[in-house]
């Protein structure tokens, strides 16, 4: 049976007292005067009375510390509660604050919060042994002037079970939260760079030892760890975050990872970077609640819009290839993207995007396959999301290519990182694309990529031509349809997904035909001559990239 020392009266301590028993206060008042130490070799249980620690006083506890709601624990900001001894022990604040907390347990023994707690001045790890403060689902709050000392791989706050470590602040500051999970130390530094603060302002963090559940499906480099952050009572908040991960967190190519923050809707990559030598990821945030992790960098556009001449029909693009079941599930551009099914009925076709060097737009840095929707919007492979570009540069010229249309590109390099993300609409003017005569005006004021490039070169041409003295030969797109696709049969028809289907109706035909009960199937060769080259058999349209 444990020894118990009960207090039901006033005790003022002016000299060191050792209690080799439980200290149970049931209605009494215990006052530890300045410069005095109260040693308790077992538990401290403040059931209904008052324990007061005056300035520079000390309470040293080998067991649990439990301050019940009905009791009062009045700790001066410069008073100390020190936890020593063997065994895992518990702390219950009862809603009252601590001044200085020192954890000096024997090796492998930890302290666990049983309720939320606040430290006014300092939390210290002073043992050479392995000690953690485990907060579980409870919050630990540090007052604005509070500090944490001597945290490292063996001494940290375990904050991986829903509870957060909050730091109050009244102005811009940088603070490192020495947190980790059950097995690993993974601190996060929050350097606030902007905001309007008040007496209630605080920033809280915790960590989850898992890959974030909302990573993009194509992400192939990431850490299986993320930090949650919330900033309260701060307006116009901005900060730089730096999180430290462990080697076991690494998935994929570590050098492909940068800091990324998720705001509940999408991922952002402001000033994202990493230091693989230090196992850190860094990024900027300007929102009050985010999750932060390391993953592939993604450049983004809010909108890219382009029309295809061959599919344009009264303000929209046709979806006949889609409705006929002809769209392939794998990109025709050799970039490897594929889907289990075409996501929606409003997909017109696959489209290719090239990100080109901002210093030299002839240099292709990255290539991606996306879907082109019938409203002209280029979307992700889910059919709805705006374009994103994994492992992209932060800015680039954007070129759009299609398997039977001439390519186009932006006149200038586009910023792929700044929020709000940029938009580019190629359909509104010829000057929205680089070069001379880069697009076809399909109706007044509406522009589309030149169609008719059946053979996939850089020209649309009706007749083959050799340019003396040494070439090149520019081949006929009309001859490609007749000879390569239809085998020279002027009356043949192929219902296939092929660049020879220049009008994108799901049929490749040399001659127009009317089929009773079906309607007219138009000639793809005539589309080139009449719609693109306007009847000029010697005409030629050149790609502008």
């Amino acid at each position: 049976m444990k020894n118990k020392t009960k207090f039901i009266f006033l005790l003022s301590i002016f000299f060191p007292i050792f209690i080799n028993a439980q200290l149970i206060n049931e209605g009494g008042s215990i006052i530890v005067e300045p410069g005095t130490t109260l040693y308790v070799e077992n538990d401290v249980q403040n059931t209904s009375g008052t324990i007061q620690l005056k300035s520079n006083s000390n309470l040293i506890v080998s067991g649990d510390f439990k301050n019940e709601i009905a009791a009062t624990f009045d700790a001066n900001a410069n008073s100390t509660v020190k936890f020593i001894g063997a065994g895992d022990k518990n702390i219950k604040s009862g809603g009252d604050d601590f001044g200085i907390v020192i954890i000096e347990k024997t090796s492998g023994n930890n302290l666990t919060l049983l309720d939320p707690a606040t430290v006014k001045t300092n939390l210290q790890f002073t043992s050479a042994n392995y000690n953690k403060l485990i907060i579980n689902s409870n919050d630990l709050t540090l007052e604005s002037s509070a500090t944490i000392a001597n945290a490292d791989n063996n001494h940290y706050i375990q904050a991986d079970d829903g509870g957060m470590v909050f730091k109050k602040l009244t102005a811009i500051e940088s603070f490192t939260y020495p947190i980790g999970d059950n097995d690993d130390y993974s601190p996060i530094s929050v350097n606030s760079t902007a905001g309007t603060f008040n007496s209630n302002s605080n920033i809280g963090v915790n960590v989850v030892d898992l890959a974030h559940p909302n990573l993009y499906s194509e992400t192939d480099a990431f850490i299986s760890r993320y930090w949650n952050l919330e900033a309260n009572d701060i307006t116009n908040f901005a900060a730089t975050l730096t999180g430290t991960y462990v080697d076991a967190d690494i998935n994929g190519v570590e050098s492909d990872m940068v800091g990324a923050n998720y705001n509940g809707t999408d991922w952002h990559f402001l000033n994202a970077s990493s230091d693989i030598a230090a196992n850190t990821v860094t990024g900027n945030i300007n929102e009050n609640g985010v999750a932060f992790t390391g993953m592939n960098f993604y450049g983004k556009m809010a909108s890219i819009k382009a029309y295809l001449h061959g599919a344009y029909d009264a303000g929209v693009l046709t979806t006949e290839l889609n409705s006929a079941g002809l769209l392939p599930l794998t990109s025709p551009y050799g970039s490897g993207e594929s889907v289990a099914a075409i996501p929606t009925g409003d997909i017109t076709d696959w489209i290719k995007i090239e990100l080109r060097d901002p210093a030299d737009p002839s240099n292709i840095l990255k290539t991606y396959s996306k879907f082109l929707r019938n409203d002209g919007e280029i979307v992700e492979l889910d059919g709805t999301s705006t374009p994103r570009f994994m492992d992209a540069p932060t800015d680039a010229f954007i070129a759009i290519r299609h398997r039977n249309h001439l390519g186009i590109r932006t006149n200038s390099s586009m910023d792929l990182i700044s929020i709000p993300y940029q938009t580019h609409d190629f359909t509104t003017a010829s000057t929205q694309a680089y070069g001379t005569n880069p697009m076809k005006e399909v109706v007044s004021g509406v522009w589309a990529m030149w169609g008719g490039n059946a053979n996939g070169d850089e020209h649309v041409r009706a007749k083959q031509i050799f340019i003396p003295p040494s070439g090149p030969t520019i081949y006929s797109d009309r001859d490609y349809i007749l000879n390569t696709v239809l085998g020279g049969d002027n009356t043949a028809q192929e219902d296939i997904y092929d660049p020879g289907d220049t009008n994108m109706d799901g049929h490749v035909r040399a001659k127009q035909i009317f089929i009773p009960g079906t309607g007219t199937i138009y000639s793809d060769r005539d589309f080139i001559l009449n719609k693109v080259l306007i009847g000029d058999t010697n005409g030629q349209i050149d790609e502008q990239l």
Side-chain angles (χ1 to χ4, degrees), residues 5 45 53 82 104 151 163 224 231 239 243 251 288-289 295 370 421 452 479 527 539:
T5 301
Q45 187 169 330
L53 302 183
K82 183 175 183 179
E104 197 173 284
S224 52
N251 295 268
N288 287 52
M295 62 187 287
K370 310 292 181 185
Y421 296 116
D479 289 352
F527 174 86

Side-chain angles (χ1 to χ4, degrees), residues 442-524:
V442 287
V443 296
S444 180
V446 179
W447 299 79
M449 297 169 66
W450 283 108
N453 186 25
N455 62 15
D457 61 10
E458 299 172 353
H459 319 279
V460 179
R461 193 167 173 84
K463 281 186 176 180
Q464 180 174 313
I465 185 174
F466 176 80
I467 299 176
S470 57
T473 298
I474 300 175
Y475 295 94
S476 164
D477 295 285
R478 283 166 48 87
D479 289 352
Y480 172 86
I481 293 170
L482 178 61
N483 299 325
T484 302
V485 183
L486 299 176
D489 185 347
N490 200 39
T491 63
Q493 176 177 313
E494 294 287 346
D495 299 332
I496 55 175
Y497 182 79
D498 189 273
D501 178 19
T502 57
N503 60 18
M504 298 184 68
D505 63 356
H507 317 286
V508 182
R509 273 201 74 82
K511 275 187 166 183
Q512 179 175 312
I513 186 174
F514 177 79
I515 301 175
T518 298
T520 300
I521 299 176
Y522 294 95
S523 164
D524 294 288

Side-chain angles (χ1 to χ4, degrees), residues 283-468:
N284 288 3
I285 63 169
N286 55 17
E287 297 180 84
N288 287 52
V290 301
F292 184 71
T293 192
M295 62 187 287
N296 299 87
F297 171 78
Y298 283 82
K300 294 187 177 185
M301 291 284 288
S303 170
I304 306 174
K305 187 173 182 179
Y307 285 145
L308 299 177
H309 180 196
Y312 185 82
D313 183 18
V316 296
L317 303 180
T318 62
T319 57
E320 293 179 70
L321 297 176
N322 191 349
S323 59
L326 293 175
L327 289 182
L329 299 182
T330 298
S331 166
Y333 305 113
S335 49
E337 292 91 338
S338 63
V339 293
I342 303 301
T344 60
D346 58 3
I347 299 300
T348 292
D349 201 357
W350 290 86
I351 201 83
K352 180 181 180 181
I353 295 183
E354 295 170 346
L355 300 185
R356 294 181 169 225
D357 191 336
D360 177 9
S362 66
N363 181 25
I364 300 169
L365 301 177
K366 289 284 184 178
T367 299
Y368 307 86
S369 292
K370 310 292 181 185
F371 280 132
L372 179 64
R373 213 163 52 191
N374 65 347
D375 60 358
E377 289 288 344
I378 294 174
V379 295
E380 280 302 312
L381 302 188
D382 60 4
T384 57
S385 299
T386 55
R388 60 180 184 257
F389 310 107
M390 189 172 83
D391 299 331
T394 57
D395 63 303
F397 287 92
I398 296 179
I400 311 296
R401 288 185 177 271
H402 183 261
R403 57 199 175 83
N404 60 12
H405 287 68
L406 298 181
I408 54 177
R409 72 163 171 87
T410 56
N411 283 294
S412 59
S413 181
M414 306 297 292
D415 179 356
L416 301 178
I417 190 170
S418 296
I419 300 172
Y421 296 116
Q422 291 191 307
T423 65
H424 194 83
D425 189 346
F426 286 102
T427 71
T428 58
S430 176
T431 53
Q432 287 292 93
Y434 164 81
T436 302
N437 194 29
M439 295 185 290
K440 163 77 173 178
E441 190 173 22
V442 287
V443 296
S444 180
V446 179
W447 299 79
M449 297 169 66
W450 283 108
N453 186 25
N455 62 15
D457 61 10
E458 299 172 353
H459 319 279
V460 179
R461 193 167 173 84
K463 281 186 176 180
Q464 180 174 313
I465 185 174
F466 176 80
I467 299 176

